[in-house]
């Protein structure tokens, strides 16, 4: 499919949720952008939802663009769906995605290496193996880092399991070993954090699992935000009615420090102790963003970008996409995929001497497990607003399901398969 056709393809609707998986092309720009003729080089750092997608689409849309993707792991582990590992409904291996298609089908050079430094002025990146890669454009997609928590000397005592991996398996083991009638705690960090509905859906899923597998147990949800930050109707009803007796929700709880020996959290609302603690700390952009001097949004934690091409506001040929970028869109895998396509399109246009699409549109879908076999959904469409230079949500196309059911749960798996294929296959 040609770039313009993909960008102009209308949103397909599946299970009531927009799933078009295309990020740009609201219209208005010249469809006949000249092809890139001279060989150009783009280096992408981080092969997650954002980085894998931008690498693939740069090659799809820019025949003469050489793309090198640097990722520290040999394969990608999806955080999306990883809460189902905690309940034994998915295996870690089912969340693993290979870079073979990027290499073999799309001609991306994939290096298994760690980027240790970025020089935005060149731009170039330095690898742990010692090489330095110079490029016409560098795209940074390193995801998130966690703040340290006072008193938590061994993070495995209170795992976040918020980057899928060893901590996900560890938390599953800790929950399995918890006694019936025990207490678990799940903490929710202040916004902005990765996947706004994610902690609430994990709470619902765990509540359902505890009721069946650990009768008499409680799940304390300690939210640093004053109240539920997204999909309030569904999560409030789920906590107060469906999971009443298991979930105890407390808003406005800030953690001061923890005592790992006694598994106690000391907060502004008093001390809370538990058998298992899923502590999800406050988040910021991947470490490279700060070390490159690009964490320049108002909070100093994420990269300020121009959402027409995701260029850093400090370095026009360094782009930041995915959870590391500060935008008005949620930090979510679906949005990371969308930002990647807008960014790929803009880079190809710029390399051909043109300008980015002036009116990009993105969309996001999120399904939330309310029980072990029922889900709700939330979707949003964002459109570029020239007056504020931000992506604004389009009210008529943004909303949540009214309640939850088994069909939405099935749709969730279809959506996940489409999203991961679009990013990695
Ligand atoms: C439990 C849970 C459920 C979720 N559910 C959903 C959902 O239903 N829908 C949704 O849209 N989103 C969901 N998300 C959010 C989604 O996972 C993230 O928003 C998405 O992964 C962000 O993509 P990214 O590319 O920015 O970061 P990542 O996907 O984390 O990728 C970053 C990559 O960069 C690599 N990297 C970092 N630093 C370096 C370096 N220096 N050198 C080389 N490589 C490096 C990392 O190894 C990693 O592979 C969920 C998240 C969680 C935790």
């Amino acid at each position: 499919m040609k770039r313009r056709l993909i960008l102009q393809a209308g949103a397909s609707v599946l299970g009531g949720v927009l799933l078009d998986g295309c990020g740009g092309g609201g219209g208005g720009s010249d469809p006949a952008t000249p092809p890139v003729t001279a060989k150009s080089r783009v280096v992408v750092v981080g092969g997650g939802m954002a980085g894998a997608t931008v690498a693939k689409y740069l090659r799809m849309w820019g025949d003469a663009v050489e793309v090198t993707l640097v990722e520290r792991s040999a394969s990608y582990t999806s955080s999306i769906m990883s809460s189902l590992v905690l309940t034994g409904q998915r295996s870690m291996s089912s969340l693993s995605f290979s870079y073979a298609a990027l290499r073999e089908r799309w001609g991306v050079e994939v290096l298994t290496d760690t980027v240790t430094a970025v020089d935005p002025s060149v731009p170039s990146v330095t690898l742990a193996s010692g090489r330095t890669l110079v490029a016409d454009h560098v795209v940074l997609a390193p995801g998130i880092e966690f703040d340290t928590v006072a008193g938590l000397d061994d993070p495995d005592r209170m795992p976040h399991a918020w980057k899928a991996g060893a901590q996900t398996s560890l938390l599953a083991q800790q929950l399995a070993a918890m006694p019936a009638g025990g207490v678990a705690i799940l903490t929710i960090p202040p916004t902005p954090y990765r996947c706004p509905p994610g902690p609430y859906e994990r709470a619902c899923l765990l509540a359902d699992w505890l009721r069946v597998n650990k009768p008499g147990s409680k799940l304390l949800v300690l939210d640093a935000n004053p109240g539920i930050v997204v999909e309030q109707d569904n999560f409030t009803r789920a906590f107060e009615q469906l999971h009443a007796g298991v979930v105890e929700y407390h808003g406005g709880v800030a953690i001061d420090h923890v005592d790992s020996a006694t598994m106690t959290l000391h907060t502004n609302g008093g001390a809370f102790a538990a058998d298992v603690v899923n502590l999800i700390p406050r988040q910021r952009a991947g470490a490279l963003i700060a070390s490159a001097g690009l964490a320049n949004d108002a909070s100093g934690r994420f990269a300020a970008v121009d959402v027409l091409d995701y260029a850093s506001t400090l370095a026009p040929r360094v782009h930041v996409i995915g959870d590391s970028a500060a935008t008005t869109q949620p930090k979510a895998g679906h949005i990371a995929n969308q930002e990647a396509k807008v960014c790929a399109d803009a880079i190809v246009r710029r390399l051909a001497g043109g300008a980015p699409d002036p009116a990009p549109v993105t969309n996001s879908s999120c399904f939330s497990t309310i029980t072990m076999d029922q889900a709700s959904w939330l979707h949003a469409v964002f459109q570029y607003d020239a007056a504020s230079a931000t992506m604004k949500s389009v009210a008529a196309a943004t909303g949540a399901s009214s309640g939850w059911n088994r069909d939405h749960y099935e749709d969730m798996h279809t959506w996940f398969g489409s999203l991961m294929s679009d990013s990695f296959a």
Side-chain angles (χ1 to χ4, degrees), residues 32 44-46 69 71-72 82 95 108-109 118-119 129 148 190 204 239 254 267 275 300 326 344 358 376 396 399:
V44 179
V45 180
L69 171 66
E71 162 59 47
R72 61 181 158 211
S82 64
L95 301 177
V108 176
E109 181 190 27
V118 178
D119 184 340
S129 59
T148 53
C204 288
F239 286 173
T267 78
D275 300 291
S376 63

Short mmCIF file of all heavy atoms in Angstrom, two decimals, residues 32 44-46 69 71-72 82 95 108-109 118-119 129 148 190 204 239 254 267 275 300 326 344 358 376 396 399:
data_model
loop_
_atom_site.label_atom_id
_atom_site.label_comp_id
_atom_site.label_asym_id
_atom_site.label_seq_id
_atom_site.Cartn_x
_atom_site.Cartn_y
_atom_site.Cartn_z
N ALA A 32 1.29 14.32 -3.68
CA ALA A 32 2.35 13.97 -4.62
C ALA A 32 3.72 14.40 -4.11
O ALA A 32 4.49 15.01 -4.82
CB ALA A 32 2.05 14.60 -5.96
N VAL A 44 17.13 4.83 14.62
CA VAL A 44 16.03 4.77 15.58
C VAL A 44 16.56 4.09 16.84
O VAL A 44 17.21 3.05 16.75
CB VAL A 44 14.85 3.94 15.01
CG1 VAL A 44 13.72 3.86 16.04
CG2 VAL A 44 14.35 4.55 13.70
N VAL A 45 16.30 4.69 17.98
CA VAL A 45 16.76 4.12 19.25
C VAL A 45 15.56 3.61 20.03
O VAL A 45 14.66 4.38 20.38
CB VAL A 45 17.51 5.17 20.10
CG1 VAL A 45 17.98 4.53 21.41
CG2 VAL A 45 18.66 5.75 19.31
N GLY A 46 15.55 2.30 20.30
CA GLY A 46 14.45 1.68 21.05
C GLY A 46 13.50 0.99 20.09
O GLY A 46 12.90 1.62 19.23
N LEU A 69 17.95 0.37 13.43
CA LEU A 69 17.23 0.34 14.70
C LEU A 69 18.17 -0.25 15.75
O LEU A 69 18.69 -1.35 15.57
CB LEU A 69 15.97 -0.53 14.58
CG LEU A 69 15.21 -0.85 15.86
CD1 LEU A 69 14.60 0.39 16.47
CD2 LEU A 69 14.10 -1.88 15.56
N GLU A 71 18.34 -1.58 19.50
CA GLU A 71 17.49 -2.03 20.62
C GLU A 71 18.35 -2.93 21.51
O GLU A 71 19.03 -3.81 21.02
CB GLU A 71 16.28 -2.78 20.06
CG GLU A 71 15.54 -3.66 21.04
CD GLU A 71 14.98 -2.94 22.28
OE1 GLU A 71 14.35 -1.88 22.15
OE2 GLU A 71 15.22 -3.46 23.40
N ARG A 72 18.24 -2.71 22.83
CA ARG A 72 19.14 -3.47 23.70
C ARG A 72 18.74 -4.93 23.87
O ARG A 72 19.59 -5.76 24.21
CB ARG A 72 19.30 -2.77 25.04
CG ARG A 72 18.05 -2.61 25.84
CD ARG A 72 18.39 -1.86 27.15
NE ARG A 72 17.22 -1.23 27.71
CZ ARG A 72 17.25 -0.11 28.41
NH1 ARG A 72 18.39 0.52 28.61
NH2 ARG A 72 16.15 0.40 28.90
N SER A 82 0.13 -7.62 29.64
CA SER A 82 0.99 -8.31 30.61
C SER A 82 0.30 -8.52 31.96
O SER A 82 0.72 -9.39 32.73
CB SER A 82 2.33 -7.58 30.79
OG SER A 82 2.13 -6.29 31.34
N LEU A 95 3.93 -12.84 24.81
CA LEU A 95 4.09 -11.38 24.71
C LEU A 95 5.39 -11.01 23.98
O LEU A 95 5.75 -9.84 23.92
CB LEU A 95 4.11 -10.75 26.11
CG LEU A 95 2.87 -10.98 26.97
CD1 LEU A 95 3.05 -10.37 28.35
CD2 LEU A 95 1.63 -10.41 26.30
N VAL A 108 15.21 -3.27 7.48
CA VAL A 108 15.76 -2.45 8.57
C VAL A 108 17.02 -3.14 9.10
O VAL A 108 17.01 -4.36 9.31
CB VAL A 108 14.73 -2.30 9.72
CG1 VAL A 108 15.33 -1.54 10.90
CG2 VAL A 108 13.46 -1.61 9.21
N GLU A 109 18.08 -2.38 9.32
CA GLU A 109 19.26 -2.94 9.98
C GLU A 109 18.98 -2.90 11.49
O GLU A 109 18.81 -1.81 12.06
CB GLU A 109 20.50 -2.11 9.65
CG GLU A 109 21.76 -2.66 10.31
CD GLU A 109 22.96 -1.71 10.20
OE1 GLU A 109 22.76 -0.48 10.10
OE2 GLU A 109 24.10 -2.21 10.24
N VAL A 118 23.71 10.36 23.18
CA VAL A 118 23.15 10.98 21.97
C VAL A 118 23.76 12.36 21.87
O VAL A 118 23.79 13.11 22.85
CB VAL A 118 21.61 11.11 22.09
CG1 VAL A 118 21.03 11.80 20.85
CG2 VAL A 118 20.96 9.76 22.32
N ASP A 119 24.23 12.72 20.67
CA ASP A 119 24.67 14.09 20.45
C ASP A 119 23.66 14.75 19.51
O ASP A 119 23.70 14.53 18.29
CB ASP A 119 26.08 14.12 19.83
CG ASP A 119 26.59 15.55 19.69
OD1 ASP A 119 25.75 16.50 19.70
OD2 ASP A 119 27.81 15.74 19.58
N SER A 129 28.83 -0.87 22.39
CA SER A 129 29.90 -1.60 21.70
C SER A 129 31.01 -0.69 21.22
O SER A 129 32.03 -1.15 20.73
CB SER A 129 29.31 -2.37 20.52
OG SER A 129 28.69 -1.45 19.64
N THR A 148 13.09 6.58 41.82
CA THR A 148 13.40 5.68 42.94
C THR A 148 12.43 5.99 44.09
O THR A 148 11.92 7.10 44.20
CB THR A 148 14.85 5.85 43.42
OG1 THR A 148 15.04 7.23 43.69
CG2 THR A 148 15.86 5.38 42.40
N PRO A 190 1.33 9.41 40.18
CA PRO A 190 0.71 10.62 39.62
C PRO A 190 0.81 10.63 38.10
O PRO A 190 1.76 10.09 37.54
CB PRO A 190 1.52 11.77 40.23
CG PRO A 190 2.75 11.17 40.81
CD PRO A 190 2.52 9.70 40.98
N CYS A 204 -8.94 -4.38 38.80
CA CYS A 204 -10.18 -5.15 38.58
C CYS A 204 -9.85 -6.62 38.30
O CYS A 204 -10.49 -7.53 38.85
CB CYS A 204 -10.95 -4.56 37.40
SG CYS A 204 -11.71 -2.97 37.78
N PHE A 239 -15.36 -1.01 41.06
CA PHE A 239 -14.77 -1.04 42.42
C PHE A 239 -15.87 -1.11 43.48
O PHE A 239 -15.78 -1.86 44.44
CB PHE A 239 -13.92 0.21 42.67
CG PHE A 239 -12.57 0.22 41.96
CD1 PHE A 239 -11.77 1.37 42.00
CD2 PHE A 239 -12.10 -0.88 41.28
CE1 PHE A 239 -10.53 1.39 41.36
CE2 PHE A 239 -10.86 -0.86 40.62
CZ PHE A 239 -10.09 0.29 40.66
N ALA A 254 -0.14 9.78 48.72
CA ALA A 254 1.25 9.97 48.26
C ALA A 254 2.17 9.13 49.15
O ALA A 254 2.09 9.21 50.38
CB ALA A 254 1.61 11.44 48.35
N THR A 267 2.59 6.66 54.07
CA THR A 267 1.97 7.63 53.15
C THR A 267 1.39 8.82 53.92
O THR A 267 1.34 8.78 55.16
CB THR A 267 0.82 6.97 52.35
OG1 THR A 267 -0.33 6.88 53.21
CG2 THR A 267 1.18 5.58 51.85
N ASP A 275 0.81 -8.37 52.22
CA ASP A 275 1.62 -9.55 51.90
C ASP A 275 2.34 -9.35 50.56
O ASP A 275 3.47 -9.80 50.39
CB ASP A 275 0.70 -10.78 51.78
CG ASP A 275 -0.05 -11.05 53.07
OD1 ASP A 275 0.60 -11.46 54.04
OD2 ASP A 275 -1.28 -10.82 53.10
N GLY A 300 10.11 18.97 33.23
CA GLY A 300 11.52 18.57 33.14
C GLY A 300 11.69 17.06 33.10
O GLY A 300 12.79 16.54 33.27
N ALA A 326 6.38 14.45 25.46
CA ALA A 326 5.32 15.18 26.17
C ALA A 326 4.34 15.68 25.13
O ALA A 326 4.66 16.58 24.36
CB ALA A 326 5.92 16.36 26.93
N ALA A 344 7.31 9.13 10.82
CA ALA A 344 7.92 8.53 9.62
C ALA A 344 7.51 9.32 8.38
O ALA A 344 8.35 9.65 7.53
CB ALA A 344 7.48 7.07 9.49
N PRO A 358 0.38 19.16 7.46
CA PRO A 358 0.01 20.21 8.41
C PRO A 358 -1.19 19.85 9.28
O PRO A 358 -1.55 20.62 10.18
CB PRO A 358 -0.33 21.40 7.52
CG PRO A 358 -0.78 20.79 6.24
CD PRO A 358 -0.03 19.50 6.08
N SER A 376 -14.07 -3.61 29.15
CA SER A 376 -14.67 -2.36 28.67
C SER A 376 -13.71 -1.78 27.63
O SER A 376 -12.63 -2.34 27.42
CB SER A 376 -14.84 -1.38 29.83
OG SER A 376 -13.56 -1.05 30.36
N ALA A 396 -16.55 14.30 19.53
CA ALA A 396 -17.57 13.43 18.93
C ALA A 396 -17.05 12.02 18.68
O ALA A 396 -17.83 11.09 18.49
CB ALA A 396 -18.06 14.05 17.63
N GLY A 399 -14.65 8.44 23.55
CA GLY A 399 -15.57 7.98 24.59
C GLY A 399 -15.24 6.58 25.06
O GLY A 399 -14.28 5.96 24.60
#
